[in-house]
Amino acid sequence: MLTLLEAREAIAQRLVRVQRTQKVRLADASGRILAQAALAQVDNPAFDNSAMDGYAVRKSDLANTRSLKVVGESACGSAPAALEPGTAMRIFTGAPLPHGADHVFMQEEVSVRDGLAEFPSGNSADPNIRHRGEDFSQGETLFEPGRRMSPGDIALLSAAGIPEIDVWDRPRVLVFATGDELVAPGNKLRPGQIYESNRVATILQLQALGADVTDGGTVRDNADEIRTTLRDARDFDFVITSGGASVGDHDLVKGIFAELGSIEFWRVKIKPGKPLAFGRIGERTHFFALPGNPVSSLITFKLFVEPALMAWSNTPFLEMKLNAIALNDCQRVPGRMEFLRARLQTQDGQLKAEVLRGQGSHMLGTLRNTNGLVQVEADSNGFKKGDAVIAIPLTLYID
Ligand code: AMP
Ligand code: MG
């Protein structure tokens, strides 16, 4: 059985990273991974301009007087005339600074009567000018390859005059659940049946990471049905299944993956989530057979599938691990690395972790209060209230 790190290493070794790129328009670029550096097409600001609504002057013209005649105007989108010596020009935020001007007084500081502007005495320190190229300059590398583009990043590209970018293709992923007991919500449960819940979560987790997901539905624990569902497996970058990855008589998924390709490993020394298979089919396809227990499914996705997708997409994976103080005791038997569902909170600027009741890997209800995990090392026999623990936040919202 591999440790978490060994299993991740084994995945990294066998991963075939994406090679295909495509061009996308900015409006379609959110969440996509940049494949080529993006270079600014223009300086930003593109020209010296005013940071305020006010009056542009030549500072030296105010050496002996406090008032100047207002001549002309510079508004956004216009190209103003040069500033005539001994005059001030009306100017607005973002409008080009007229040639000759070196200072803008904000209009709140200026009183204007009969076309004559009266300026404050004393030094107004900030010239209120935004200089050409002070943000970035033409030809500058704005983003290196591997960047996952956020809406803010895309605003920057747009401001830099870039209409489209080269991104890596999205991973094509086939997802299906297996289990004779599984029924979709909306149907009446017959004896022994349960409602299926893993598939929708896996699909949504994948979509949030930018994957192009095909829903293969829920399949019986029947070898032929599973083989049929996998007939086009080689057209996908990843196949992710739920259930049937363990050692029971009806756990067929692992065996069928072994028929179609090669299994790299199928057990990891973690709790929850021990029965987890990873491998490859052909030159393109990776598979993960995730455990059927709903919490195991969610956690193994987070621990293995997410980093694998990041690596496949040539983008860095950053696992956020924070130091927290335990709010309760936790006793356990050493053996596997454990991930406990926890409620993270801040108290006086200090991160605290409350390990929640109901840690069974079938217990979805606990997820209502879960906003993070506490990671416990394999050889640990637990911790006491007040001890330092490692917390992995699952959401950005921690109260
Ligand atoms: P398995 O990994 O197939 O042995 O399933 C382990 C446990 O998870 C069993 O209690 C299954 O009923 C349950 N389970 C398997 N697949 C799902 C699923 N897609 N949704 C909800 N529960 C599941
Ligand atoms: Mg099963």
Side-chain angles (χ1 to χ4, degrees), residues 177-178 181-182 194-199 242-245 251 291-294:
T178 66
E181 73 282 30
L182 304 175
I194 64 166
Y195 289 123
E196 199 279 321
S197 60
N198 294 346
R199 198 176 88 234
S242 154
D251 291 337
N293 271 311

Side-chain angles (χ1 to χ4, degrees), residues 175-215:
V175 176
F176 64 94
T178 66
D180 286 338
E181 73 282 30
L182 304 175
V183 180
N187 296 293
K188 201 167 160 48
L189 288 182
R190 291 206 300 270
Q193 294 186 325
I194 64 166
Y195 289 123
E196 199 279 321
S197 60
N198 294 346
R199 198 176 88 234
V200 65
T202 300
I203 290 172
L204 294 174
Q205 282 172 296
L206 286 163
Q207 285 172 345
L209 295 171
D212 170 11
V213 185
T214 298
D215 180 359

Side-chain angles (χ1 to χ4, degrees), residues 203-348:
I203 290 172
L204 294 174
Q205 282 172 296
L206 286 163
Q207 285 172 345
L209 295 171
D212 170 11
V213 185
T214 298
D215 180 359
T218 294
V219 179
R220 304 294 108 206
D221 289 316
N222 171 295
D224 288 335
E225 268 194 54
I226 297 173
R227 284 192 195 98
T228 304
T229 311
L230 283 169
R231 67 188 170 264
D232 299 326
R234 285 165 193 263
D235 297 337
F236 292 89
D237 300 300
F238 291 86
V239 175
I240 301 179
T241 63
S242 154
S246 196
V247 293
D249 292 350
H250 301 281
D251 291 337
L252 305 170
V253 172
K254 189 165 41 80
I256 292 168
F257 276 135
E259 264 170 44
L260 298 175
S262 59
I263 296 203
E264 218 45 48
F265 63 80
W266 70 277
R267 289 200 304 169
V268 187
K269 250 174 89 181
I270 56 167
K271 185 181 175 187
K274 185 169 68 169
L276 160 87
F278 166 77
R280 287 261 311 276
I281 300 171
E283 294 304 303
R284 170 175 180 185
T285 311
H286 312 76
F287 62 80
F288 283 97
L290 300 185
N293 271 311
V295 177
S296 310
S297 171
L298 283 167
I299 290 181
T300 51
F301 185 96
K302 184 87 192 146
L303 294 177
F304 298 102
V305 181
E306 189 170 314
L309 282 176
M310 302 291 98
W312 181 90
S313 311
N314 301 303
T315 190
F317 168 69
L318 186 78
E319 189 166 54
M320 220 194 298
K321 285 192 179 173
L322 305 174
N323 295 321
I325 301 293
L327 283 176
N328 38 12
D329 296 349
C330 162
Q331 267 196 355
R332 54 165 245 139
V333 182
R336 289 187 271 163
M337 179 181 269
E338 190 164 358
F339 293 89
L340 298 165
R341 274 154 283 159
R343 171 141 204 90
L344 307 181
Q345 49 205 277
T346 51
Q347 290 175 8
D348 306 325

Side-chain angles (χ1 to χ4, degrees), residues 90-155:
R90 183 77 171 116
I91 195 165
F92 301 96
T93 305
L97 193 73
H99 185 75
D102 55 13
H103 197 103
V104 173
F105 283 91
M106 54 197 276
Q107 67 188 39
E108 292 86 337
E109 296 180 326
V110 183
S111 52
V112 183
R113 199 170 302 141
D114 300 331
L116 206 62
E118 176 107 8
F119 294 94
S121 56
N123 256 343
S124 150
D126 188 344
N128 296 318
I129 294 169
R130 305 159 167 176
H131 291 282
R132 174 178 186 153
E134 71 178 4
D135 187 16
F136 54 80
S137 29
Q138 187 178 22
E140 190 175 320
T141 300
L142 298 174
F143 296 107
E144 298 285 358
R147 174 84 170 199
R148 176 184 294 276
M149 303 309 293
S150 70
D153 293 344
I154 292 165

Side-chain angles (χ1 to χ4, degrees), residues 47 49-50 53 73-79 91-96 130:
F47 44 84
N49 69 79
S50 177
D53 293 325
E73 176 183 291
S74 178
C76 283
S78 70
I91 195 165
F92 301 96
T93 305
R130 305 159 167 176

Side-chain angles (χ1 to χ4, degrees), residues 13-29:
Q13 292 291 332
R14 294 288 285 142
L15 208 70
V16 202
R17 290 168 171 74
V18 61
Q19 309 268 341
R20 306 175 305 269
T21 65
Q22 60 182 137
K23 283 196 186 302
V24 291
R25 316 268 323 154
L26 291 191
D28 301 318

